[in-house]
């Protein structure tokens, strides 16, 4: 039963990664001046769900491993993130010599302090992972409130950093997404138990959906309150996304499809920009600008990028180059004593409710 209760996690990751790929496809086509504006309007709304849901799922997943000693947690969770951040920054730098990875005219650089393109997500997630064993000792509501307060101060211009160490946009990404990661980290057992009951999951889906719609309407009608209403909408969006994922996970073939995508969200996240850039280069070569092509090309590029990323990972595995997606086993794995394994399994069962 424990595993059935968290099947929706992969489903939620599947939803989130499809929204990410859709978003980046829209951005790339926008740089090519190919826009179908209804897609952009929808994207502006689902942006309130996309990354908060991803960070929320990451926080829940991290909570399952916090029973380990901090150094073991960091080895198992943090090291792989730092590894793929370094490896895929190099891959993006190399690809940028062939493909137009960025349409804004800026080069891709190897700079781990200033994450490149979509790798900011891995960079921010690595910071949260480094802090998780320390923050878990504190009160969750207080930690979330502190990050919300810091985000408010940053948005209001009362908190600023203009030094060269970290870009302001990356600090903003940390402050904006920390509350959702921390919510997953601290409240995973309660969330999993709640969504395990289908009636309560349906209630959460309807309530969160209605609240989310109301807050989105409020943002449109009251731009001056955008920061407060937008943040509240993100929390409602996460609740809606998690409840929707729990329901989709119960839908047979559809649930299996989303779980399959979610279980491969890492390789899709890392690889999809390569295929979007390749598609963009073909579009430019063939001369396909215009609104009509945007209607078709946006979903087509999303499908191409997802399928290409999965096939790339399979090809890499067949070539025994798994180090592109994970650190070498001698570096990432240490022998675990049987009693430690038994305690770990017990802790995971407790964490999963």
């Amino acid at each position: 039963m424990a595993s059935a209760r968290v099947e929706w996690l992969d489903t939620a990751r599947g939803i989130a990664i499809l929204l990410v790929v859709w978003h980046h496809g829209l951005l790339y086509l926008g740089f090519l001046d190919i826009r179908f504006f209804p897609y952009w309007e929808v994207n502006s709304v689902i942006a309130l769900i996309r990354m908060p849901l991803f960070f929320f799922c990451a926080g829940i997943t991290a909570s399952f491993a916090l029973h380990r000693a901090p150094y073991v947690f960091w080895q198992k969770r943090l090291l792989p993130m730092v590894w793929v951040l370094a490896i895929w920054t190099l891959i993006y730098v190399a690809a940028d010599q062939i493909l137009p990875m960025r349409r804004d005219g800026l080069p891709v650089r190897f700079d781990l302090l200033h994450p490149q393109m979509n790798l900011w997500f891995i960079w921010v997630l690595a910071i949260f992972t480094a802090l998780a064993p320390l923050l878990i000792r504190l009160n969750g509501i207080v930690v979330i409130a502190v990050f919300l307060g810091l985000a408010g101060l940053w948005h209001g211009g009362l908190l600023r950093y203009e030094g060269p160490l970290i870009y302001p946009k990356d600090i903003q990404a940390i402050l904006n997404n920390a509350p959702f990661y921390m919510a997953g980290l601290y409240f995973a057992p309660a969330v999993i138990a709640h969504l395990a009951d289908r009636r309560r999951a349906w209630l959460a889906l309807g309530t969160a959906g209605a609240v989310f719609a109301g807050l989105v309407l409020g943002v449109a009608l009251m731009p001056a309150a955008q920061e407060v209403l937008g943040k509240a909408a993100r929390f409602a969006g996460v609740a809606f996304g998690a409840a929707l994922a729990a329901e989709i996970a119960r839908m047979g073939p559809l649930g299996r499809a989303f779980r399959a995508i979610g279980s491969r969200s890492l390789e899709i996240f890392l690889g999809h920009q390569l295929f979007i850039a390749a598609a963009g280069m073909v579009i430019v070569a063939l001369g396909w600008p215009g609104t009509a092509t945007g209607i078709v090309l946006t979903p087509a590029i999303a499908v191409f990028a997802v399928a290409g990323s999965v096939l790339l990972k399979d090809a890499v595995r067949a070539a025994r180059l798994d180090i592109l997606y994970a650190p070498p086993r001698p570096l990432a794995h240490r022998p675990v004593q049987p009693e430690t394994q038994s305690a770990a399994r017990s802790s995971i069962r407790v964490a999963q409710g």
Side-chain angles (χ1 to χ4, degrees), residues 87-101:
I87 293 295
W88 280 84
T89 300
L90 284 172
I91 290 173
Y92 283 5
V93 169
D96 194 45
Q97 310 308 308
I98 305 169
L99 299 172
M101 293 295 290

Side-chain angles (χ1 to χ4, degrees), residues 35 50 72 90 95 132 141 146 165 198 209 275 289 297 351:
R35 295 179 178 88
R50 184 177 59 239
V72 177
L90 284 172
I141 294 178
V146 167
L165 184 61
R198 192 166 191 179
F275 294 94
L297 285 177

Side-chain angles (χ1 to χ4, degrees), residues 114 154 157-169 171-172:
H114 304 107
W154 184 271
L158 301 176
L159 181 64
R160 274 287 173 263
Y161 172 77
E162 301 294 343
L165 184 61
I166 302 176
Y167 290 153
K169 66 179 181 63
I171 297 176
Q172 184 174 342

Side-chain angles (χ1 to χ4, degrees), residues 192-215:
I192 292 169
H194 189 88
L195 294 181
D197 185 297
R198 192 166 191 179
R199 286 179 296 179
R200 289 190 293 178
W202 266 106
L203 180 61
L205 181 64
T207 303
V211 172
F212 177 75
L215 290 168

Side-chain angles (χ1 to χ4, degrees), residues 126-138:
I127 292 173
F128 294 162
T129 303
L131 294 175
L134 308 176
L135 293 179
I136 197 63
R137 305 171 187 273
L138 305 176

